[in-house]
Amino acid sequence: IVGRMGGRVSFDDAPGGGTVFWVDLPRWDGTAGGEIDVGAERSVPRVLLCEDDPAVATTMRIRLGRAGFPVDFAHTVETALARSNANHYAAILVDLRLRERDGMDLIVQMRAQPHHRDTPILVVSGDPERGRADVRAPRLNIQEWITKPIDFAHLIEVLREACASMPPARHRILHIDDD
């Protein structure tokens, strides 16, 4: 675990006999981790934010968290696809400019996932017109195109409407009986 975090584990001889084990971890620079909102209640609608700028993602999490929305981050297309494949999100926010790939490509791939075919997707971008001009845009069912800097009151209103229209999750019970 320490090695995967970029640290080292070692030991030295202790004065008078024995061994002293030590762990050396790098200082956290804020660029990794914290991408899953672990403190949120499970019953509250969760939002996936696909944003490559950690400072913007953190600000959005704080603002949306105050409005009652837990926010998970994905800084790359691959991470966004993995998270969206493993979780059901009430809404997905996508910046069009992501690391290595385009946000529109991400939306196309998310719409191909059966459990996110109808999930509300909002584009939050400095240049949403670029996305609207994309030939794929009309068939991707983008709920809203939001320009940066973000009008959080509007964004929260759109998210509340999107989550209110979602049917409540149905619980499933597996009953096994040998009689």
Side-chain angles (χ1 to χ4, degrees), residues 50-55 57 74-76 95 97-100 148:
C50 310
E51 168 64 59
D52 66 344
D53 185 335
H75 299 300
T76 65
D95 185 7
R97 294 194 173 132
L98 297 170
R99 296 177 189 165
E100 297 113 26
K148 291 180 182 176

Side-chain angles (χ1 to χ4, degrees), residues 51 56 60 63 124-125 146-153 155:
E51 168 64 59
V56 172
M60 289 182 72
R63 298 287 298 270
V124 180
S125 178
I146 297 175
T147 304
K148 291 180 182 176
I150 302 165
D151 176 354
F152 279 98
L155 175 58

Side-chain angles (χ1 to χ4, degrees), residues 27 43 49-50 56-57 67 82 98 103 116 144 178:
R27 174 183 274 188
S43 62
L49 171 59
C50 310
V56 172
L98 297 170
H116 284 302
E144 189 83 21
D178 66 351

Side-chain angles (χ1 to χ4, degrees), residues 38-55:
V38 294
E41 292 181 37
R42 294 176 58 93
S43 62
V44 177
R46 186 171 288 275
V47 174
L48 177 62
L49 171 59
C50 310
E51 168 64 59
D52 66 344
D53 185 335

Side-chain angles (χ1 to χ4, degrees), residues 49-113:
L49 171 59
C50 310
E51 168 64 59
D52 66 344
D53 185 335
V56 172
T58 301
T59 300
M60 289 182 72
R61 173 184 278 167
I62 291 168
R63 298 287 298 270
L64 295 175
R66 288 181 192 147
F69 293 101
V71 177
D72 294 345
F73 301 159
H75 299 300
T76 65
V77 169
E78 289 73 24
T79 304
L81 290 171
R83 288 216 168 87
S84 68
N85 196 30
N87 300 294
H88 179 77
Y89 288 98
I92 300 171
L93 309 176
V94 179
D95 185 7
L96 295 179
R97 294 194 173 132
L98 297 170
R99 296 177 189 165
E100 297 113 26
R101 303 221 348 241
D102 181 60
M104 293 300 285
D105 292 336
L106 171 61
I107 296 169
V108 167
Q109 292 179 37
M110 285 197 175
R111 287 296 187 216
Q113 296 175 339

Side-chain angles (χ1 to χ4, degrees), residues 130-177:
R130 182 176 68 93
R132 284 184 203 220
D134 191 302
V135 296
R136 302 169 290 179
R139 59 190 162 96
L140 293 178
N141 192 23
I142 307 288
Q143 181 156 350
E144 189 83 21
W145 301 84
I146 297 175
T147 304
K148 291 180 182 176
I150 302 165
D151 176 354
F152 279 98
H154 176 68
L155 175 58
I156 290 167
E157 178 184 324
V158 171
L159 284 174
R160 283 191 176 133
E161 288 175 12
C163 293
S165 66
M166 290 182 56
R170 296 183 65 187
H171 297 283
R172 295 179 185 213
I173 298 173
L174 173 62
H175 177 94
I176 300 175
D177 190 343

